[in-house]
Amino acid sequence: MSDPLAFSYAAQPMDVTFGAGSISGLRAEVEALGLTRVIVLSTPGQAGLAGEIAAQLGPLVGAIFTKATMHVPIEIVDEAASVVAKVGADGCVAVGGGSTIGLGKALSLRHRIPTVAVPTTYAGSEMTPVWGITENGVKTTGRDRVVLPVKVIYDPELSLALPLGISATSGMNAIAHAVEALWAPDRSPLISLMAEEGVRAIATALPQLKHGADLAGRSNLLYGAWLCGSCLGATTMSLHHKLCHILGGTFNLPHADTHTIVLPYVLEYNAPAAPQAVAALQRALGTDDPVAGLITLRQDWDVPSSLKQLGLTQNDLETAVDAAIASPYANPREVTAEGLRTLLARAWSGALG
């Protein structure tokens, strides 16, 4: 007799410190890992914070590299890797969002050195063994536990200055991880609980930011991002992430904005084949219509609501359809070229508002 609750679950070997002011313990954490010469990574926009982190780490820093870029272009990876080799770095400290942590993962993959992640957005990449590198307009992704950060420090004080629009799209990006986990073929009861709670935390905290960037709201957003990222790290990505990787890597669209726009349309497409996911999202979002709930959550902020606003053209849509059809992947509903054309055309025009 088969067991309807049968499942497999592999816990990720993560070491997390969470709390306001926790960044003050970074040097002790790096020393405890036995690292003696690290490279501090950031985007150009967070070079100042990278400098502050490097000052705290003192003699443990071999170099500071502030050229991390969205979608992790291979040229940036090559440049950072040459710095790693030049200074003999035995680890990375990645300070920032998905772009910076993604670069740390690429260096871990290439040089087999560990990454310590200090997230300042809600992207969730720090909780997954998923890496991505873009070369010649194609974003290649993979899974390897060697890229999973060995330590994650969540300090909500570091996200207090994150602009509200970026906070909103980053939070929606995190929600997308949980939504896909709810219909993943390898989901488990534990992951489903984490996904629902992660969506609830972010959906509750985001509107609170309109009344001020308070520490409690930022803490709840980081907490939700941690849960949602953990769900992504433990399950298989489906249609939503596939499309966003194609759109981002091929057309260089902003990562979080693309997730924010595309997610309601993928949920609309998959909902008839994913009733359990829909039920969980109804509870988490507090609405009978989770697609409308996502739109409402997005409409609270001055962020793009269509792929057209990101610069994508109608001619680009067929390229995206062809790329998605050419690479099969798990999804609760059958993916057809016609179905994708309709989905992307609606996301391009912003049909849902």
Side-chain angles (χ1 to χ4, degrees):
M1 183 175 181
S2 62
D3 182 353
L5 287 179
F7 65 91
S8 296
Y9 172 66
Q12 303 292 350
M14 299 300 299
D15 185 348
V16 172
T17 296
F18 191 106
S22 56
I23 191 62
S24 63
L26 176 62
R27 179 167 176 172
E29 297 283 6
V30 171
E31 289 175 335
L33 291 168
L35 302 179
T36 60
R37 196 166 184 79
V38 300
I39 177 172
V40 178
L41 308 172
S42 79
T43 60
Q46 292 197 304
L49 179 57
E52 294 175 16
I53 294 295
Q56 179 184 338
L57 293 172
L60 298 178
V61 176
I64 304 174
F65 186 86
T66 61
K67 297 182 182 180
T69 304
M70 66 177 183
H71 307 306
V72 195
I74 187 66
E75 297 82 7
I76 297 297
V77 176
D78 289 341
E79 187 175 350
S82 68
V83 175
V84 168
K86 181 179 179 180
V87 304
D90 58 2
C92 306
V93 175
V95 184
S99 299
T100 304
I101 294 170
L103 176 58
K105 288 180 171 184
L107 296 177
S108 291
L109 188 68
R110 181 175 296 191
H111 286 288
R112 290 304 195 262
I113 58 176
T115 291
V116 175
V118 183
T120 61
T121 72
Y122 314 118
S125 175
E126 66 279 355
M127 297 306 296
T128 83
V130 179
W131 57 267
I133 297 173
T134 300
E135 184 173 8
N136 297 324
V138 177
K139 188 170 186 177
T140 301
T141 61
R143 299 176 75 95
D144 192 323
R145 285 202 174 190
V146 75
V147 309
L148 196 68
V150 295
K151 179 73 185 185
V152 181
I153 296 179
Y154 286 109
D155 187 337
E157 291 183 349
L158 298 181
S159 64
L160 283 172
L162 191 66
L164 296 184
I166 296 176
S167 298
T169 56
S170 185
M172 292 292 289
N173 182 12
I175 287 176
H177 304 332
V179 171
E180 291 254 272
L182 285 168
W183 59 48
D186 48 358
R187 66 187 181 277
S188 69
L190 178 60
I191 289 299
S192 295
L193 287 171
M194 292 171 65
E196 184 174 334
E197 171 65 3
V199 173
R200 185 207 60 76
I202 292 173
T204 301
L206 268 182
Q208 295 173 353
L209 295 188
K210 297 189 74 172
H211 306 293
D214 67 298
L215 192 59
R218 294 295 185 178
S219 291
N220 282 326
L221 282 168
L222 270 182
Y223 162 67
W226 174 7
L227 292 174
C228 293
S230 297
C231 292
L232 176 64
T235 57
T236 301
M237 291 180 287
S238 300
L239 176 60
H240 174 77
H241 281 81
K242 182 69 175 181
L243 288 178
C244 289
H245 287 162
I246 290 170
L247 293 169
T250 304
F251 305 106
N252 200 36
L253 301 187
H255 183 77
D257 287 2
T258 303
H259 277 275
T260 301
I261 292 166
V262 172
L263 180 59
Y265 297 94
V266 176
L267 176 57
E268 180 183 55
Y269 182 86
N270 277 342
Q276 290 181 321
V278 170
L281 292 171
Q282 288 172 331
R283 294 189 296 267
L285 295 170
T287 176
D288 290 335
D289 186 348
V291 173
L294 291 177
I295 295 297
T296 299
L297 194 60
R298 186 181 70 192
Q299 285 176 337
D300 282 341
W301 310 93
D302 184 21
V303 299
S305 59
S306 70
L307 293 174
K308 182 179 180 180
Q309 289 176 271
L310 299 185
L312 200 71
T313 70
Q314 283 185 300
N315 290 335
D316 293 331
L317 299 183
E318 195 62 30
T319 300
V321 170
D322 291 343
I325 292 297
S327 180
Y329 42 89
N331 195 64
R333 181 179 174 184
E334 181 185 4
V335 178
T336 66
E338 189 57 37
L340 286 181
R341 288 189 188 98
T342 300
L343 186 162
L344 287 173
R346 287 172 61 74
W348 181 82
S349 65
L352 288 172

